[in-house]
Amino acid sequence: MKEKYVNQANPNVSVDCVVFGFDGSDLKVLLVQRDLRDNLDIDDDTLVLPGDLINDDEDLDEAASRILKGLTGIKNIFLEQIGAFGSPKRLLKKRDQVWLNAIRILPNARVITIGYFALVNIKNYKTKPAGFAKHVLWQDYNTVEELGFDHNVILNSAISVLRDKLYREPVGFQLLGKEFSLHQLYTLYNEIMGGDIDRRNFRRKMLKTGFLKETENYQEGVPHKPARLYTFAKKKFDNVSKANFKFY
Amino acid sequence: MKEKYVNQANPNVSVDCVVFGFDGSDLKVLLVQRDLRDNLDIDDDTLVLPGDLINDDEDLDEAASRILKGLTGIKNIFLEQIGAFGSPKRLLKKRDQVWLNAIRILPNARVITIGYFALVNIKNYKTKPAGFAKHVLWQDYNTVEELGFDHNVILNSAISVLRDKLYREPVGFQLLGKEFSLHQLYTLYNEIMGGDIDRRNFRRKMLKTGFLKETENYQEGVPHKPARLYTFAKKKFDNVSKANFKFY
DNA sequence: AAACTTAGTGTAAAATTTACACTTTGAAAA
DNA sequence: TTTTCAAAGTGTAAATTTTACACTAAGTTT
């Protein structure tokens, strides 16, 4: 039993983040372009999710925070693990193997990735390249094509976690600014859920959840132009509570 | 940037399974006792979740299946990843460090664990020790005390995933035999959810979901003794469907 | 044979969901 | 400068679902 482990190298463990952002009308994902530095003979403009190998002395969550901090300067945002990914090395795409060899840090071990997903309000932060990233960009979720490694799998997993969460938890607020109109929130839900939600029912139901607090300019009965603004009123959220974010 | 990786050993990656079983009245978890083999001078009867290091050439899911197969002989059961766990090595309990040293396979690297959870019908399978396990036992979930490593964290995570799933997916059937009465299903839900569900509403609601199919002895209007039996009728399950397993 | 438990059906009030209509205000078009 | 239009907001009635109970019949236990 023991002997079998001795001959196999431990896998490299990396953390990759799916960072979703919303610009008011479209759902975006933060992607980076790999930077080969001194191996410039290799032509590789593959896009990947921002990620890095985990450090010896840090928690998994800490690693994810670190990566995000490096690229966006953000601390303390919504960030949650979505799971571990990683097929044996023999299943890697050639392009990715070349890349791994080029950076010489992973000679004979596979890579296992812990995926995280994060929600940020795009307008609040400036992105900047860091680590192995040559460029950082916000890409429209619907236009994302083939990514490096198994990052499409991770992205798909993240979007379904996001949709699922949006149904069940007051999590969409993270994608908007501090103050927002119900119209903005509605647009967000409609975009992400791909649905065709009734505007009026959405409004009533969302207000009834108790997660919205009016800002000072509130005045009953008067239609506003521009729209009335709300903030997210954090209240204790019971997982099994009746707060229900399903909209038909 | 590069240099920083060179000096750190890759972490060991293990897969640990939380296997839930139901014996008709109580929820059980499959635990194992560590076996130190030739290091018998060390007295350690700590209980842990069944797990093993992942092999170089296998998928994460494959590893989980392998472990389960070894301990219970089961293949093809409900098995799902719940996430990755693992704090830096310095946070390990002393007892666990001693154990890791004793088996000599992990000299200076940390351990990262991918947690899985599985649901089985206890009566269908005989368990047997395998790998590093000295004993295998089904322990009452409510009586579980301190486990080795961070396995209590994993177990807690698994139970909340289970409760959550039970609300939203027809997953409880996995814990029962092929044929079961509504009373058995009711007992299961009541036990796991810790709730106090109305028997009559449970019955009606569960039948309405369309996941139950009557067995041949079915006869309308006649109270049965013993109870009428059902099987789980797999039908396409739409995540966003209206099937609702919340019972109050 | 009386008392009790289990299996099953019924029903009515309360709450929620759904599918719409209608008003007011500011901005854009004519 | 009207006229037209879209956005912001409130209302309401039918359909469905949830909740909280009552009741009967068939075995089992005492």
CSV table of all heavy atoms in Angstrom, one decimal, chain C residues 5-18:
chain,number,residue,atom,x,y,z
C,5,DT,P,-50.9,4.1,20.9
C,5,DT,OP1,-49.9,4.2,21.9
C,5,DT,OP2,-51.9,5.2,20.6
C,5,DT,O5',-50.3,3.7,19.5
C,5,DT,C5',-49.7,2.4,19.3
C,5,DT,C4',-49.8,2.0,17.9
C,5,DT,O4',-51.2,1.7,17.5
C,5,DT,C3',-49.3,3.1,16.9
C,5,DT,O3',-48.2,2.5,16.2
C,5,DT,C2',-50.5,3.5,16.1
C,5,DT,C1',-51.3,2.2,16.2
C,5,DT,N1,-52.8,2.4,15.9
C,5,DT,C2,-53.4,1.6,15.0
C,5,DT,O2,-52.8,0.8,14.3
C,5,DT,N3,-54.8,1.9,14.8
C,5,DT,C4,-55.5,2.8,15.6
C,5,DT,O4,-56.7,2.9,15.4
C,5,DT,C5,-54.8,3.5,16.6
C,5,DT,C7,-55.6,4.5,17.4
C,5,DT,C6,-53.5,3.3,16.7
C,6,DT,P,-47.4,3.5,15.1
C,6,DT,OP1,-46.0,3.0,15.2
C,6,DT,OP2,-47.7,4.9,15.4
C,6,DT,O5',-47.9,3.1,13.7
C,6,DT,C5',-48.0,1.7,13.4
C,6,DT,C4',-48.8,1.5,12.1
C,6,DT,O4',-50.2,1.8,12.3
C,6,DT,C3',-48.3,2.5,11.0
C,6,DT,O3',-48.0,1.8,9.8
C,6,DT,C2',-49.5,3.5,10.8
C,6,DT,C1',-50.6,2.6,11.2
C,6,DT,N1,-51.8,3.3,11.8
C,6,DT,C2,-53.1,2.9,11.3
C,6,DT,O2,-53.2,2.1,10.4
C,6,DT,N3,-54.1,3.6,11.8
C,6,DT,C4,-54.1,4.6,12.8
C,6,DT,O4,-55.1,5.2,13.2
C,6,DT,C5,-52.8,4.9,13.3
C,6,DT,C7,-52.6,6.0,14.3
C,6,DT,C6,-51.7,4.3,12.7
C,7,DA,P,-47.5,2.5,8.5
C,7,DA,OP1,-46.7,1.5,7.7
C,7,DA,OP2,-47.0,3.8,8.8
C,7,DA,O5',-48.9,2.7,7.7
C,7,DA,C5',-49.6,1.5,7.2
C,7,DA,C4',-50.7,1.9,6.3
C,7,DA,O4',-51.8,2.6,7.1
C,7,DA,C3',-50.3,3.0,5.3
C,7,DA,O3',-50.8,2.5,4.0
C,7,DA,C2',-51.0,4.3,5.7
C,7,DA,C1',-52.2,3.8,6.5
C,7,DA,N9,-52.6,4.6,7.6
C,7,DA,C8,-51.8,5.3,8.5
C,7,DA,N7,-52.4,6.0,9.4
C,7,DA,C5,-53.7,5.8,9.1
C,7,DA,C6,-54.9,6.3,9.6
C,7,DA,N6,-55.0,7.1,10.7
C,7,DA,N1,-56.1,6.0,9.0
C,7,DA,C2,-56.1,5.1,8.0
C,7,DA,N3,-55.0,4.6,7.4
C,7,DA,C4,-53.9,5.0,8.0
C,8,DG,P,-50.4,3.3,2.7
C,8,DG,OP1,-50.4,2.4,1.6
C,8,DG,OP2,-49.3,4.1,3.0
C,8,DG,O5',-51.7,4.3,2.5
C,8,DG,C5',-53.0,3.8,2.3
C,8,DG,C4',-54.0,4.8,2.6
C,8,DG,O4',-53.9,5.2,4.0
C,8,DG,C3',-54.0,6.1,1.8
C,8,DG,O3',-54.7,6.0,0.6
C,8,DG,C2',-54.6,7.1,2.8
C,8,DG,C1',-54.8,6.4,4.1
C,8,DG,N9,-54.4,7.2,5.2
C,8,DG,C8,-53.2,7.4,5.7
C,8,DG,N7,-53.2,8.2,6.8
C,8,DG,C5,-54.6,8.5,6.9
C,8,DG,C6,-55.2,9.3,7.9
C,8,DG,O6,-54.7,9.9,8.8
C,8,DG,N1,-56.6,9.3,7.7
C,8,DG,C2,-57.3,8.6,6.7
C,8,DG,N2,-58.6,8.7,6.7
C,8,DG,N3,-56.7,7.9,5.8
C,8,DG,C4,-55.3,7.8,6.0
C,9,DT,P,-54.9,7.3,-0.4
C,9,DT,OP1,-55.3,6.7,-1.7
C,9,DT,OP2,-53.7,8.1,-0.2
C,9,DT,O5',-56.1,8.1,0.3
C,9,DT,C5',-57.4,7.5,0.3
C,9,DT,C4',-58.4,8.4,0.9
C,9,DT,O4',-58.0,8.9,2.2
C,9,DT,C3',-58.6,9.7,0.1
C,9,DT,O3',-59.9,10.0,-0.1
C,9,DT,C2',-57.9,10.8,1.0
C,9,DT,C1',-58.2,10.2,2.4
C,9,DT,N1,-57.2,10.7,3.4
C,9,DT,C2,-57.7,11.4,4.5
C,9,DT,O2,-58.9,11.7,4.6
C,9,DT,N3,-56.7,11.8,5.3
C,9,DT,C4,-55.3,11.6,5.2
C,9,DT,O4,-54.6,12.0,6.1
C,9,DT,C5,-54.9,10.9,4.1
C,9,DT,C7,-53.5,10.6,3.9
C,9,DT,C6,-55.9,10.5,3.2
C,10,DG,P,-60.4,11.3,-0.9
C,10,DG,OP1,-61.7,10.9,-1.6
C,10,DG,OP2,-59.3,11.7,-1.8
C,10,DG,O5',-60.7,12.4,0.2
C,10,DG,C5',-61.5,12.0,1.3
C,10,DG,C4',-61.9,13.3,2.1
C,10,DG,O4',-60.8,13.6,3.0
C,10,DG,C3',-62.0,14.5,1.2
C,10,DG,O3',-63.2,15.2,1.6
C,10,DG,C2',-60.8,15.3,1.5
C,10,DG,C1',-60.5,15.0,2.9
C,10,DG,N9,-59.0,15.1,3.3
C,10,DG,C8,-58.0,14.4,2.6
C,10,DG,N7,-56.8,14.7,3.2
C,10,DG,C5,-57.1,15.5,4.3
C,10,DG,C6,-56.3,16.1,5.2
C,10,DG,O6,-55.0,16.0,5.3
C,10,DG,N1,-57.0,16.9,6.1
C,10,DG,C2,-58.4,17.0,6.1
C,10,DG,N2,-58.9,17.8,7.1
C,10,DG,N3,-59.2,16.5,5.2
C,10,DG,C4,-58.5,15.7,4.3
C,11,DT,P,-63.8,16.4,0.7
C,11,DT,OP1,-65.1,15.9,0.3
C,11,DT,OP2,-62.8,16.9,-0.3
C,11,DT,O5',-64.1,17.6,1.8
C,11,DT,C5',-63.6,17.5,3.1
C,11,DT,C4',-63.2,18.8,3.6
C,11,DT,O4',-61.8,18.8,4.0
C,11,DT,C3',-63.3,20.0,2.6
C,11,DT,O3',-63.6,21.2,3.3
C,11,DT,C2',-61.9,20.0,2.0
C,11,DT,C1',-61.1,19.9,3.4
C,11,DT,N1,-59.7,19.5,3.3
C,11,DT,C2,-58.9,20.0,4.3
C,11,DT,O2,-59.2,20.6,5.3
C,11,DT,N3,-57.5,19.7,4.1
C,11,DT,C4,-57.0,19.0,3.1
C,11,DT,O4,-55.8,18.7,3.0
C,11,DT,C5,-57.9,18.5,2.0
C,11,DT,C7,-57.4,17.8,0.8
C,11,DT,C6,-59.2,18.8,2.2
C,12,DA,P,-64.6,22.2,2.7
C,12,DA,OP1,-65.9,21.6,2.5
C,12,DA,OP2,-63.9,22.9,1.6
C,12,DA,O5',-64.8,23.3,3.9
C,12,DA,C5',-64.2,23.1,5.2
C,12,DA,C4',-63.1,24.2,5.5
C,12,DA,O4',-61.8,23.7,5.1
C,12,DA,C3',-63.3,25.5,4.7
C,12,DA,O3',-63.0,26.5,5.6
C,12,DA,C2',-62.3,25.4,3.6
C,12,DA,C1',-61.1,24.7,4.4
C,12,DA,N9,-60.1,24.0,3.5
C,12,DA,C8,-60.3,23.4,2.3
C,12,DA,N7,-59.2,22.8,1.9
C,12,DA,C5,-58.2,23.2,2.8
C,12,DA,C6,-56.8,22.9,2.9
C,12,DA,N6,-56.1,22.2,2.0
C,12,DA,N1,-56.2,23.4,4.0
C,12,DA,C2,-56.9,24.1,4.9
C,12,DA,N3,-58.2,24.4,4.9
C,12,DA,C4,-58.8,23.9,3.9
C,13,DA,P,-63.4,28.1,5.3
C,13,DA,OP1,-64.6,28.4,6.2
C,13,DA,OP2,-63.5,28.2,3.8
C,13,DA,O5',-62.2,28.9,5.8
C,13,DA,C5',-61.7,28.6,7.1
C,13,DA,C4',-60.2,29.0,7.2
C,13,DA,O4',-59.4,28.2,6.4
C,13,DA,C3',-59.9,30.5,6.8
C,13,DA,O3',-59.1,31.1,7.7
C,13,DA,C2',-59.3,30.3,5.4
C,13,DA,C1',-58.6,28.9,5.5
C,13,DA,N9,-58.4,28.2,4.3
C,13,DA,C8,-59.3,27.9,3.3
C,13,DA,N7,-58.8,27.2,2.3
C,13,DA,C5,-57.5,27.0,2.7
C,13,DA,C6,-56.5,26.3,2.0
C,13,DA,N6,-56.6,25.7,0.8
C,13,DA,N1,-55.2,26.3,2.6
C,13,DA,C2,-55.1,27.0,3.8
C,13,DA,N3,-56.0,27.6,4.5
C,13,DA,C4,-57.2,27.6,3.9
C,14,DA,P,-58.5,32.6,7.5
C,14,DA,OP1,-58.3,33.2,8.8
C,14,DA,OP2,-59.3,33.2,6.5
C,14,DA,O5',-57.1,32.3,6.9
C,14,DA,C5',-56.1,31.5,7.6
C,14,DA,C4',-54.8,31.6,6.9
C,14,DA,O4',-54.9,30.8,5.7
C,14,DA,C3',-54.3,33.0,6.4
C,14,DA,O3',-53.0,33.1,6.8
C,14,DA,C2',-54.5,32.9,4.9
C,14,DA,C1',-54.4,31.5,4.6
C,14,DA,N9,-55.1,31.0,3.4
C,14,DA,C8,-56.4,31.2,3.1
C,14,DA,N7,-56.8,30.6,2.0
C,14,DA,C5,-55.6,30.0,1.5
C,14,DA,C6,-55.4,29.2,0.4
C,14,DA,N6,-56.3,28.9,-0.5
C,14,DA,N1,-54.1,28.6,0.3
C,14,DA,C2,-53.2,28.9,1.2
C,14,DA,N3,-53.3,29.7,2.3
C,14,DA,C4,-54.6,30.2,2.4
C,15,DA,P,-52.1,34.5,6.6
C,15,DA,OP1,-51.3,34.6,7.7
C,15,DA,OP2,-53.1,35.5,6.1
C,15,DA,O5',-51.3,34.1,5.3
C,15,DA,C5',-50.5,32.9,5.4
C,15,DA,C4',-49.9,32.6,4.0
C,15,DA,O4',-50.9,32.2,3.1
C,15,DA,C3',-49.2,33.8,3.4
C,15,DA,O3',-47.9,33.5,3.1
C,15,DA,C2',-50.1,34.1,2.1
C,15,DA,C1',-50.7,32.7,1.8
C,15,DA,N9,-52.0,32.7,1.1
C,15,DA,C8,-53.1,33.4,1.4
C,15,DA,N7,-54.1,33.2,0.6
C,15,DA,C5,-53.6,32.3,-0.3
C,15,DA,C6,-54.2,31.7,-1.5
C,15,DA,N6,-55.4,31.9,-1.9
C,15,DA,N1,-53.4,30.8,-2.2
C,15,DA,C2,-52.1,30.6,-1.8
C,15,DA,N3,-51.5,31.2,-0.7
C,15,DA,C4,-52.3,32.0,0.0
C,16,DT,P,-46.9,34.5,2.4
C,16,DT,OP1,-45.6,34.3,3.1
C,16,DT,OP2,-47.5,35.8,2.3
C,16,DT,O5',-46.8,34.0,0.9
C,16,DT,C5',-46.9,32.6,0.7
C,16,DT,C4',-46.9,32.3,-0.8
C,16,DT,O4',-48.3,32.3,-1.2
C,16,DT,C3',-46.2,33.3,-1.6
C,16,DT,O3',-45.3,32.5,-2.5
C,16,DT,C2',-47.2,34.1,-2.4
C,16,DT,C1',-48.4,33.0,-2.5
C,16,DT,N1,-49.7,33.5,-2.6
C,16,DT,C2,-50.6,33.0,-3.6
C,16,DT,O2,-50.2,32.2,-4.4
C,16,DT,N3,-51.8,33.6,-3.6
C,16,DT,C4,-52.3,34.5,-2.7
C,16,DT,O4,-53.5,34.9,-2.8
C,16,DT,C5,-51.4,35.0,-1.7
C,16,DT,C7,-51.9,36.1,-0.8
C,16,DT,C6,-50.2,34.5,-1.7
C,17,DT,P,-44.3,33.2,-3.6
C,17,DT,OP1,-43.1,32.4,-3.6
C,17,DT,OP2,-44.3,34.7,-3.3
C,17,DT,O5',-45.1,33.0,-4.9
C,17,DT,C5',-45.7,31.7,-5.1
C,17,DT,C4',-46.4,31.7,-6.4
C,17,DT,O4',-47.7,32.3,-6.3
C,17,DT,C3',-45.7,32.4,-7.6
C,17,DT,O3',-45.8,31.5,-8.7
C,17,DT,C2',-46.5,33.6,-7.8
C,17,DT,C1',-47.9,33.2,-7.4
C,17,DT,N1,-48.9,34.2,-6.9
C,17,DT,C2,-50.2,34.2,-7.3
C,17,DT,O2,-50.6,33.5,-8.2
C,17,DT,N3,-51.0,35.2,-6.8
C,17,DT,C4,-50.6,36.1,-5.8
C,17,DT,O4,-51.5,36.9,-5.3
C,17,DT,C5,-49.3,36.0,-5.3
C,17,DT,C7,-48.8,36.9,-4.2
C,17,DT,C6,-48.5,35.1,-5.9
C,18,DT,P,-45.1,31.8,-10.1
C,18,DT,OP1,-44.8,30.5,-10.7
C,18,DT,OP2,-44.0,32.8,-9.9
C,18,DT,O5',-46.2,32.5,-11.0
C,18,DT,C5',-47.3,31.8,-11.4
C,18,DT,C4',-48.4,32.7,-12.0
C,18,DT,O4',-48.9,33.6,-11.0
C,18,DT,C3',-47.9,33.5,-13.2
C,18,DT,O3',-48.5,33.0,-14.3
C,18,DT,C2',-48.3,34.9,-12.8
C,18,DT,C1',-49.3,34.7,-11.7
C,18,DT,N1,-49.5,35.8,-10.7
C,18,DT,C2,-50.7,36.3,-10.5
C,18,DT,O2,-51.7,36.0,-11.1
C,18,DT,N3,-50.8,37.3,-9.5
C,18,DT,C4,-49.7,37.8,-8.7
C,18,DT,O4,-49.9,38.6,-7.9
C,18,DT,C5,-48.4,37.2,-9.0
C,18,DT,C7,-47.3,37.6,-8.2
C,18,DT,C6,-48.4,36.2,-10.0
